[in-house]
Amino acid sequence: MAQKKKSSASKSPKANGTAAPSVNITSYMHEERVFHPSKDFSKGAHIQSMAEYRKMYNESIKSPEKFWAKQAKNELVWLKPWKKVLQWKEPVAKWFVGGQLNVSANCLDKWLDTPTANKAAIIWEGEPAGDNKPGEERVITYKQLHRDVCRFANVLKRNGLKKGDRAIIYLPMVPEAAVAMLACARIGAVHSVVFGGFSAQSVADRIFDCQAKMVITSDGGFRRGMIVQLKKNVDDALKLKDAEGQSLTKTIERVIVLKRAGNEVEIEEGRDVWWHRELHHVDANCPAEKMDSESNLFILYTSGSTGKPKGILHTTAGYLLTAKMTSKYVFDLRPTDVYWCTADVGWVTGHSYVVYGPLANGATSLMYEGAPNFPEPDRFWRIVDKYGVTVLYTAPTAIRAFMKWGVEWTKKHDLTSLRLLGTVGEPINPEAWMWYREVIGGSKCPIVDTWWQTETGGIMITPIPGATPTKPGTATLPFFGILPEVVDDNGRPVPKGSGGKLVIRKPWPGMLRGLWGDPQRYKEVYWSEVKGSYFTGDGCRQDKDGYFWIVGRIDDVLNVAGHRIGTAEVESALVSNHNVAEAAVVGRPDELKGQALVAFVTLKTGVIASPELREQLRAHVGKEIGPVAKPDDIRFAEGLPKTRSGKIMRRLLKQVAAGTEIKGDTTTLEDFNVLSRLGSSDD
Ligand code: WTA
């Protein structure tokens, strides 16, 4: 049941209940490989050397207000100038106070009288039709997208959506998802995108929490050749009641339905309208609303792997500046790029790096509707080849899946158009990083391992591709204006090489402005753990060069016989064995050692599980890290339980490892069957 404002405060951002354990994480990873950007790459890049990066970074930290004022002036189109760059009263930040602008105008109108107007804003590839037939394709220029957004914005107005109202967007990965987001931004309505894989209950909970007035959905969406019944889920959501029999969704006045899959749906007169029919009643004239810098742009619910979803709130100017600048410098966007971020618009990565960041830069953003392995595991490489993708941004979980499926799928296609690769979402195991570099990037593309969170709005720790020497497994150094630090339980910086909590010392323009309707929880979760700092919930260590190595969520740190070990390192050691595709390590209570290490291991295609292999893997970890990290138990599994954005749900694995009943929220679990298939220690 959804409960407004009744959430239990949690000490660590992505978990409920328990306080973050004290940290003193010992780091065992000894990665020595360093890769410098090629001269060729650096020559054409926005930032061409470490000296240039350092100069700009130092400016951003020494005189942040001056730095951000300059950036905001250069990067954004303002309808009214701001009076004050930053008003900071912990934990509430206000950026560019008094200024006015419109996000959709910055992404679209800005390009109308320029050569970009007729450039592809969105290249869309639909889910393939089966038998490996190519999917539908659509290319939408900036001019066309502007027109589509204006018309749909008029549809929203016609249907009663006003400035400040909330609308739920529950759509598949089709261009209309971007149109709906931009149309909301255009009229000043606040969108909350709900991932199309979520259930009716999740939709209802989110409607209730943000008191939404409208749902924008489609009849259905395609996923691996099947139809996902989106409209049916909305109908079900709109019938749900809480324990007292009260409707959760009584604020909903209108449902706009896009025709996508052609499946039959029920239309409730007076409540539901068809997108295409509504378009007949509007024209393409819709001036962008003047929005204050701090007006709300979107709410995005993040479930992490535990706890009641939090409504992360982002506002207008600071968020857009962050999305725009990080896209420009981290992906080194150039006018000729075909840029592809594989994230769904239901995640923050889809917001910042499919829609707002690329469009604010006048880039071409590729959107793909389907799954990476449908109808065959070469789907991504087929798309890269077909469109000549130059920049690819994806997640470690996908990279590990590609490794598992094998190089015969990548070899079928020409990937030489790629010039830059990126990853986000989890620590990337050095082995996966090397595979990405060599097999996908042909050893010539810089890799940007980007660390950030839904809460941070944009990339925070990352290589700058033309400048930063990279090492497999680290997100390297902070982006401009970001001051991260690794600290102990008392908030004191720990020496280089030691592990601790990752905090951010200064406010930044893209930071969340709060949790929707729950200022108290916002304060408790992010601003109470370490005095005066934003607490990320991640464990981290800095190496001798100052590079940041994320060792996983603080809650996932294990204490084995007095040694504190980050799960990410043991997992990377396992993945560095050539038989292993993926690994998740959790603790199990152990009388002797406090916690025993249990590893769930997925093997590469064709490798057979055996007791010998188990011993071999234990020995391998012993060699890579040290005897203390040898898993006590290794369980071979066909798949690992993951959230729908691809993060391993260690909370569930802990319960499997401890042999207890699975409890708690499993609504974000991607494939529930995985849980029942998890092997025991007997093969
Ligand atoms: C993890 C996704 C290591 C981290 C944009 C963070 C990472 C959480 C990385 C946020 C990375 C994300 N290296 N860990 N490059 N990127 N994470 O809110 O634990 O879905 O706190 O945002 O993912 O996940 P979220």
Side-chain angles (χ1 to χ4, degrees):
M1 189 194 77
Q3 285 182 321
K4 207 169 161 140
K5 294 191 183 170
K6 257 184 137 180
S7 56
S8 63
S10 88
K11 276 290 194 176
S12 118
K14 304 256 160 160
N16 262 3
T18 50
S22 68
V23 274
N24 229 326
I25 310 158
T26 316
S27 183
Y28 296 93
M29 202 186 250
H30 34 74
E31 177 58 60
E32 305 263 315
R33 292 169 283 199
V34 181
F35 297 90
H36 293 266
S38 72
K39 286 216 174 64
D40 246 13
F41 188 98
S42 299
K43 221 168 49 200
H46 287 296
I47 293 182
Q48 309 189 344
S49 67
M50 278 308 273
E52 224 180 297
Y53 159 75
R54 280 206 197 92
K55 183 166 172 279
M56 209 161 144
Y57 180 74
N58 290 341
E59 273 172 29
S60 75
I61 297 298
K62 266 196 213 124
S63 329
E65 298 196 17
K66 200 168 140 210
F67 175 85
W68 288 118
K70 185 168 137 198
Q71 299 300 331
K73 193 156 171 256
N74 290 344
E75 301 287 352
L76 304 183
V77 182
W78 293 87
L79 300 169
K80 189 176 151 204
W82 65 86
K83 291 207 175 76
K84 195 167 170 22
V85 175
L86 171 64
Q87 191 177 307
W88 175 233
K89 193 164 175 297
E90 189 190 310
V92 179
K94 291 194 170 134
W95 285 89
F96 309 110
V97 185
Q100 286 190 325
L101 72 170
N102 183 286
V103 167
S104 115
N106 268 276
C107 292
L108 302 170
D109 308 42
K110 177 183 163 95
W111 307 113
L112 289 183
D113 293 321
T114 74
T116 307
N118 292 314
K119 169 183 175 173
I122 295 178
I123 296 179
W124 177 75
E125 169 90 8
E127 157 139 348
D131 298 335
N132 221 356
K133 285 201 203 86
E136 278 175 75
E137 50 183 88
R138 278 164 71 187
V139 176
I140 304 168
T141 65
Y142 273 89
K143 215 174 190 167
Q144 289 169 326
L145 188 60
H146 175 262
R147 184 182 154 81
D148 290 349
V149 167
C150 287
R151 292 182 75 204
F152 192 63
N154 281 334
V155 168
L156 295 178
K157 284 195 210 163
R158 203 180 115 77
N159 283 280
L161 198 68
K162 296 198 177 65
K163 200 168 173 171
D165 288 344
R166 274 82 58 207
I168 297 283
I169 299 178
Y170 184 58
L171 284 169
M173 271 296 275
V174 290
E176 285 80 1
V179 170
M181 291 162 76
L182 289 159
C184 286
R186 194 162 192 91
I187 67 167
V190 182
H191 61 70
S192 184
V193 183
V194 178
F195 174 54
F198 279 163
S199 63
Q201 183 70 50
S202 311
V203 175
D205 288 344
R206 285 155 176 78
I207 290 172
F208 178 76
D209 193 80
C210 73
Q211 302 281 289
K213 203 166 166 187
M214 179 185 277
V215 180
I216 304 165
T217 188
S218 68
D219 48 1
F222 295 111
R223 189 74 180 168
R224 294 200 168 88
M226 316 271 274
I227 290 178
V228 185
Q229 302 276 347
L230 294 172
K231 174 63 166 65
K232 167 87 173 46
N233 287 348
V234 171
D235 293 342
D236 292 347
L238 297 187
K239 287 184 197 124
L240 286 172
K241 297 196 164 42
D242 68 11
E244 281 93 51
Q246 296 291 317
S247 161
L248 287 172
T249 56
K250 55 177 181 287
T251 51
I252 294 295
E253 292 172 7
R254 191 69 87 235
V255 179
I256 301 186
V257 189
L258 173 77
K259 205 176 201 84
R260 165 66 193 132
N263 51 313
E264 219 170 278
V265 294
E266 278 173 30
I267 293 291
E268 191 178 302
E269 284 304 319
R271 186 194 71 188
D272 305 348
V273 293
W274 284 105
W275 181 309
H276 61 277
R277 292 216 184 130
E278 286 300 299
L279 286 179
H280 294 316
H281 304 288
V282 295
D283 62 22
N285 179 22
C286 180
E289 195 72 30
K290 278 188 186 163
M291 300 303 295
D292 290 338
S293 294
E294 280 300 332
S295 53
N296 298 333
L297 179 64
F298 68 84
I299 303 165
L300 188 57
Y301 287 86
T302 168
S303 27
S305 27
T306 45
K308 173 187 176 271
K310 300 184 289 249
I312 308 288
L313 176 65
H314 284 288
T315 58
T316 297
Y319 169 79
L320 185 64
L321 184 60
T322 294
K324 181 169 187 198
M325 276 184 69
T326 49
S327 300
K328 172 171 162 183
Y329 290 112
V330 177
F331 304 117
D332 194 45
L333 289 176
R334 302 176 193 180
T336 49
D337 273 324
V338 178
Y339 159 90
W340 182 19
C341 165
T342 67
D344 192 281
V345 287
W347 313 121
V348 73
T349 311
H351 284 59
S352 301
Y353 301 113
V354 175
V355 180
Y356 293 120
L359 298 180
N361 281 291
T364 295
S365 181
L366 195 146
M367 266 176 110
Y368 167 52
E369 182 181 31
N373 58 348
F374 183 82
E376 299 213 282
D378 67 341
R379 190 66 191 130
F380 272 24
W381 318 122
R382 202 173 267 276
I383 294 174
V384 168
D385 194 349
K386 177 173 171 186
Y387 296 103
V389 172
T390 55
V391 179
L392 176 68
Y393 188 36
T394 193
T397 179
I399 298 166
R400 291 190 301 260
F402 297 132
M403 286 172 79
K404 178 176 170 180
W405 296 331
V407 292
E408 69 260 36
W409 297 107
T410 61
K411 277 201 185 129
K412 285 182 158 182
H413 303 282
D414 181 2
L415 307 182
T416 51
S417 57
L418 290 168
R419 63 175 196 89
L420 175 62
L421 303 173
T423 116
V424 59
E426 280 180 290
I428 178 163
N429 322 100
E431 237 32 55
W433 195 99
M434 288 304 295
W435 187 91
Y436 198 28
R437 179 184 152 83
E438 286 164 7
V439 178
I440 304 305
S443 299
K444 71 174 195 323
C445 305
I447 295 183
V448 287
D449 171 359
T450 62
W451 177 89
W452 60 294
Q453 308 177 297
T454 307
E455 292 85 341
T456 68
I459 294 167
M460 302 284 279
I461 302 182
T462 175
I464 299 294
T468 318
T470 52
K471 307 177 195 179
T474 163
T476 74
L477 297 169
F479 190 73
F480 307 123
I482 307 303
L483 194 60
E485 206 157 36
V486 183
V487 301
D488 64 17
D489 286 335
N490 300 315
R492 281 188 298 256
V494 301
K496 295 247 166 81
S498 309
K501 294 172 181 167
L502 179 64
V503 298
I504 312 292
R505 293 294 202 195
K506 271 180 192 291
W508 65 101
M511 66 189 270
L512 77 165
R513 297 302 195 265
L515 297 180
W516 183 260
D518 204 345
Q520 189 54 28
R521 189 179 181 199
Y522 167 62
K523 201 167 158 190
E524 279 164 12
V525 173
Y526 302 101
W527 298 93
S528 308
E529 186 75 22
V530 176
K531 208 168 171 284
S533 300
Y534 169 84
F535 176 49
T536 65
D538 282 348
C540 188
R541 111 188 123 85
Q542 263 186 295
D543 70 12
K544 60 181 190 325
D545 299 321
Y547 282 22
F548 290 84
W549 295 74
I550 307 294
V551 299
R553 306 288 305 162
I554 288 282
D555 315 273
D556 295 334
V557 171
L558 304 174
N559 191 336
V560 181
H563 302 270
R564 304 195 68 83
I565 301 175
T567 49
E569 296 195 336
V570 187
E571 288 159 7
S572 286
L574 284 162
V575 175
S576 74
N577 184 283
H578 62 278
N579 294 304
V580 175
E582 189 154 51
V585 171
V586 297
R588 176 187 70 202
D590 184 278
E591 274 184 22
L592 217 57
K593 300 202 267 185
Q595 275 181 310
L597 286 177
V598 182
F600 292 85
V601 169
T602 311
L603 296 170
K604 284 201 181 133
T605 309
V607 179
I608 314 276
S610 68
E612 293 75 42
L613 182 57
R614 180 174 292 126
E615 273 321 300
Q616 204 186 319
L617 293 179
R618 294 188 69 236
H620 180 77
V621 175
K623 194 170 106 256
E624 291 289 306
I625 298 186
V628 61
K630 269 193 192 174
D632 298 271
D633 190 358
I634 292 186
R635 304 199 187 177
F636 295 113
E638 257 175 65
L640 299 173
K642 291 187 188 160
T643 64
R644 297 184 192 232
S645 63
K647 289 190 215 305
I648 294 169
M649 292 178 87
R650 291 192 180 71
R651 176 174 57 88
L652 298 185
L653 288 174
K654 265 186 226 166
Q655 296 170 15
V656 174
T660 52
E661 198 189 327
I662 307 291
K663 285 200 207 105
D665 180 19
T666 50
T667 51
T668 58
L669 183 63
E670 214 235 349
D671 173 7
F672 197 81
N673 292 330
V674 158
L675 265 190
S676 55
R677 286 200 303 265
L678 285 173
S680 68
S681 33
D682 319 305
D683 294 314

